[in-house]
Amino acid sequence: MGIMFNIIIILIVLFVIFRGIHIVPQNYEGLIETFGKYKRTVQSGLVLTIPIVQKIRKVSMALQPVAIEKYSIITKDNSNIRVSLTLNYSVENSYKFFYNNTDSETSMVQLVRGHLRNIIGTMTLDEALGSTEKINSMLFDAVDGLTAIYGIKIARVNIDEIIPSKEIQEAMDKQLTADREKTAAIAKTQGTSESIKLENKAQNEATVATAEANAKAKKLAADAEKYRIDTIQEALNNANDSYFKNQSLNSFNQLAAGPNNLIVMDKDNLTNLGNLPVANEMLKKQVFNGSNHEASAKEDN
């Protein structure tokens, strides 16, 4: 019986001793309380406390993410939007974090939401939708120093979504559709106008090219004619009198071979008149008529 009692006593003592042995993990701090009152702060590692008398509270000092669910905000132009965001924070002072506030994380979230509401409340809907980076920067600057009272340091804030109300979304969709149709109509009109311009330009260029080709052809023809005339003129300038006389005789011969009886000749060529067939013919007729006339005259006498 005595041995069993001693074993029980030993087990109780060992249990109590083990209750006084604690391990604080990496990136944690331990807050030691004696009879519920803060005594000291210990770092990570093996920590010994007085069992039953002292208690240790472990506080994480690592960076922690917090998601703030969608909540309504009214913009400057009275548009209702829903905003969600995330932030990352770390505990800089474990004592303030645990003892200065019942729930420091909740208080931090409320602080962030309030400042975000104030910032967006100074913006129109269009400004808010197109200025998320600006809002992130303004919000971070606004809450950076205020969370120190909770022993918290905010490392980053980020707007995840800004969603207009259903009515605003429908209006925006209609406006977007109208803008797209307008853009398409303008593009079509510009395309048609450009096509007409190109067609007119092509026609003008074709007309100019045709005119230039005609002018070039006429110039070539004129040059050829001038060359022909100049060549003939040069040949005539170099020709002697015999050539011209021969040409005259050839012309007379051609006229004599024709049906015409009237010939105009140069006096210098009258000596050659007898060489013309028509002249011979006329001479014979004159001789014959003269003989007949003389015979008639004799008979009359």
Side-chain angles (χ1 to χ4, degrees), residues 76-89:
K76 182 179 179 180
D77 52 355
N78 295 322
S79 298
N80 189 359
I81 60 175
R82 293 179 62 80
V83 182
S84 64
L85 68 153
T86 56
L87 59 88
N88 296 87
Y89 78 94

Side-chain angles (χ1 to χ4, degrees), residues 47 60 70 82 89 98 116 179 215 242 246-247 269 286:
V47 178
S60 174
K70 296 182 181 69
R82 293 179 62 80
Y89 78 94
F98 192 81
L116 180 59
D179 290 342
S242 297
N246 185 56
Q247 289 296 106
N269 294 319
Q286 288 178 359

Side-chain angles (χ1 to χ4, degrees), residues 111-131:
L111 179 68
V112 170
R113 291 177 61 171
H115 279 276
L116 180 59
R117 184 176 287 110
N118 292 337
I119 291 171
I120 293 181
T122 62
M123 297 180 174
T124 63
L125 175 63
D126 292 339
E127 291 174 342
L129 292 175
S131 306

Side-chain angles (χ1 to χ4, degrees), residues 24-40:
V24 179
Q26 182 71 29
N27 288 332
Y28 276 76
E29 285 185 355
L31 302 176
I32 297 178
E33 299 174 348
T34 301
F35 294 114
K37 183 178 180 181
Y38 170 77
K39 183 68 176 179
R40 69 180 189 278

